[in-house]
Amino acid sequence: MRTNLLKLFVFFLIFLVSLSSLSAACEKPRDRFVVVLDAGHGGKDPGNMGNGFKEKEIALNIILKIGEALEKKEGIEVIYTRDSDVFIPLDKRAKIANDANADLFVSVHCNSHNSQAYGTETFVLGLHKTQENFEVAKKENSVIFLEEDYEVTYGGFNPNSPESYIGMALMQEEYLNQSILLADYVQKNFTNELNRKNRGVKQAGFLVLKNAVMPSVLIETGFLTNDHEGPYLNSNTGQNKMAAAIVAAIEKYANSINLSSLENIGNVSSNNVNSESEIYKDIIFKIQLAAGSKRLETKSYNFKGLQNVERAREDGMYKYYYGETSDYLEINKLHHQAKQNGYPSSYIVAFKDGSKITVNEALKSK
Ligand SMILES: [Zn+2]
């Protein structure tokens, strides 16, 4: 009897200790911006082998160059899903990022096609709008066939079945706007700084992004199958340039997100990137705080101290908006403020000529 009591007491102690370490992990101070860098493929999975080049090697080289540059920036912490030629299952990659409580997940890959297609594209998790985008996701997801127990790990997910992708977009919905913001910076840098062909910011169902609980992008840096782009991506010069463009995009993003806690990051202004504003003329961004059938006075005491809240009647409901600006960086700051004031599930909405459009559409309008 006494030993049982003792056992119980010991279990209780262990429980207390694990509880306190759990809460300590959750309350990690946000004095750093944590980026998880994910080099696609590795080990027994070479990725695509267009023109005889190896995607796994090129992706790793670019990732290591990105990491090396970011590690020099104050306030940024870099974590790699792999920093050598090893095989890491897709679900493990997201888990590494989640366990690190990361602020950003960046996956780097190279494309392939049976034509001479070329150019860069950056994906966020979503429902593919074209067969072409679906094909890219299918190809990248098919690496799970190399994993043992993939049917169990991914709950019967079949990379080739469209049905498997239903509902997947919801997993990253909360981070969609921020993911698109970074994707947009990446693509702009590739195009404006490096003169790469811009195939755009796109959405498709990538398993590696699905379980990450943070803004996440997957960058297709170009086509190894293209006779010009393949050798460029395989060269040290090409890899240095691609890495530098991605580093600048991550820095710009880090400076525009969570501004209150990240004031010390980087010297972005030194590389002539203007991070003061990001104006989308003809677009008005607002924060939707709440919606419901109840008609509230738009006084600050009804909205946790937020001032100048606007009420609109839409679809038979009252909607309450905070802020009004064409500046996407400004609206992100206001969104941050709204969340801090007690609206964690508030989100950004966009209007063009008085009609609501998706933020995705708005960001593509420039
Ligand atoms: Zn790949």
Side-chain angles (χ1 to χ4, degrees):
M1 189 65 193
R2 181 169 282 176
T3 50
N4 275 347
L5 262 179
L6 192 67
K7 269 184 196 165
L8 199 68
F9 181 64
V10 169
F11 274 123
F12 182 64
L13 268 186
I14 291 170
F15 172 71
L16 274 186
V17 168
S18 57
L19 201 69
S20 63
S21 63
L22 193 72
S23 67
C26 293
E27 287 162 15
K28 186 182 108 179
R30 306 306 292 169
D31 55 350
R32 292 162 308 156
F33 185 86
V34 181
V35 185
V36 170
L37 297 177
D38 176 52
H41 313 278
K44 63 184 171 184
D45 166 23
N48 91 68
M49 303 271 279
N51 268 321
F53 302 124
K54 281 190 189 152
E55 180 184 0
K56 68 170 182 178
E57 279 176 10
I58 296 171
L60 180 61
N61 288 346
I62 294 174
I63 280 291
L64 292 178
K65 288 170 192 289
I66 296 170
E68 195 187 344
L70 285 180
E71 277 165 359
K72 291 182 185 142
K73 316 278 178 195
E74 203 178 328
I76 295 187
E77 182 184 339
V78 176
I79 291 168
Y80 302 91
T81 55
R82 69 177 182 100
D83 58 5
S84 61
D85 185 17
V86 290
F87 180 81
I88 312 271
L90 290 186
D91 70 320
K92 179 85 189 299
R93 296 170 189 251
K95 190 174 183 305
I96 290 170
N98 293 344
D99 289 348
N101 199 8
D103 297 288
L104 192 61
F105 182 84
V106 178
S107 189
V108 165
H109 289 255
C110 308
N111 231 328
S112 67
H113 202 259
N114 55 16
S115 72
Q116 277 296 308
Y118 68 103
T120 66
E121 51 198 27
T122 300
F123 284 91
V124 302
L125 187 72
L127 194 61
H128 55 272
K129 294 202 176 78
T130 67
Q131 187 63 27
E132 205 179 9
N133 296 351
F134 184 37
E135 293 302 327
V136 179
K138 269 203 292 200
K139 233 182 296 177
E140 299 291 9
N141 291 338
S142 67
V143 303
I144 65 170
F145 293 136
L146 297 172
E147 296 179 27
E148 280 168 36
D149 292 334
Y150 72 88
E151 279 158 317
V152 177
T153 308
Y154 301 99
F157 182 92
N158 175 0
N160 299 319
S161 154
E163 285 74 35
S164 282
Y165 292 80
I166 293 169
M168 200 168 168
L170 294 173
M171 302 291 291
Q172 270 266 312
E173 200 179 31
E174 190 181 337
Y175 310 104
L176 185 61
N177 294 336
Q178 292 176 11
S179 303
I180 290 172
L181 183 67
L182 173 69
D184 187 50
Y185 289 158
V186 169
Q187 283 302 121
K188 276 184 184 145
N189 283 356
F190 285 159
T191 313
N192 300 338
E193 307 294 326
L194 305 183
N195 223 2
R196 313 308 300 169
K197 180 185 173 187
N198 184 4
R199 298 172 65 91
V201 172
K202 299 178 171 183
Q203 298 192 12
F206 290 89
L207 269 180
V208 69
L209 305 182
K210 185 187 144 197
N211 290 325
V213 290
M214 70 220 55
S216 308
V217 301
L218 185 144
I219 303 169
E220 292 284 359
T221 50
F223 289 77
L224 300 185
T225 39
N226 181 277
D227 292 341
H228 299 286
E229 208 159 58
Y232 174 81
L233 289 170
N234 196 50
S235 72
N236 195 34
T237 313
Q239 290 166 8
N240 282 337
K241 288 184 175 173
M242 296 307 281
I246 296 168
V247 166
I250 292 173
E251 269 197 287
K252 188 174 177 186
Y253 171 86
N255 276 281
S256 62
I257 294 293
N258 290 340
L259 289 137
S260 62
S261 57
L262 295 164
E263 281 156 354
N264 300 325
I265 285 186
N267 293 311
V268 154
S269 51
S270 65
N271 58 13
N272 74 25
V273 177
N274 174 17
S275 61
E276 300 303 310
S277 64
E278 183 84 16
I279 305 292
Y280 290 79
K281 70 180 177 65
D282 306 332
I283 304 288
I284 297 289
F285 295 107
K286 298 177 183 181
I287 307 298
Q288 182 164 326
L289 297 174
S293 54
K294 198 169 164 196
R295 188 179 187 281
L296 292 171
E297 289 305 317
T298 57
K299 305 282 188 203
S300 63
Y301 55 74
N302 277 334
F303 291 92
K304 304 182 183 182
L306 295 175
Q307 302 200 335
N308 302 321
V309 172
E310 175 199 357
R311 182 184 60 228
R313 192 150 169 84
E314 289 170 32
D315 315 320
M317 270 198 302
Y318 292 107
K319 297 199 174 166
Y320 297 92
Y321 297 115
Y322 174 59
E324 180 170 342
T325 175
S326 295
D327 182 347
Y328 190 65
L329 296 189
E330 175 67 20
I331 203 67
N332 271 288
K333 287 183 208 168
L334 293 173
H335 188 206
H336 184 69
Q337 192 191 350
K339 286 197 277 190
Q340 290 213 316
N341 276 46
Y343 290 95
S345 53
S346 63
Y347 54 92
I348 299 172
V349 292
F351 296 86
K352 187 174 185 180
D353 302 325
S355 309
K356 208 177 249 182
I357 60 173
T358 68
V359 174
N360 197 3
E361 283 168 334
L363 295 180
K364 280 181 182 166
S365 72
K366 199 161 87 168

